[in-house]
Amino acid sequence: MSRLPEAVEALLEAARVAEFTVIPAMATQIRLHLYAGLLLAASDLVSRWLGPGGS
């Protein structure tokens, strides 16, 4: 008796469950990268505005 159909069913179920747990985590990572990039750009603008020596 082949267990291949059961294995495929288990794999599909795991993929369906993982979709609901992985996608929110990916969205969080994207948001964190966006915020880090914005902070880096803002710090670069502030450092250019203050000029060398910070005053």
Side-chain angles (χ1 to χ4, degrees):
M1 197 101 158
S2 174
R3 297 212 178 241
L4 187 59
E6 291 176 22
V8 170
E9 183 179 335
L11 181 63
L12 292 175
E13 178 68 17
R16 184 184 66 77
V17 170
E19 180 179 335
F20 293 111
T21 59
V22 172
I23 289 178
M26 291 172 64
T28 301
Q29 289 294 320
I30 291 169
R31 235 183 350 266
L32 288 173
H33 282 275
L34 172 67
Y35 296 155
L38 290 174
L39 284 172
L40 184 62
S43 67
D44 184 52
L45 289 174
V46 168
S47 69
R48 289 174 190 257
W49 179 58
L50 292 177
S55 57

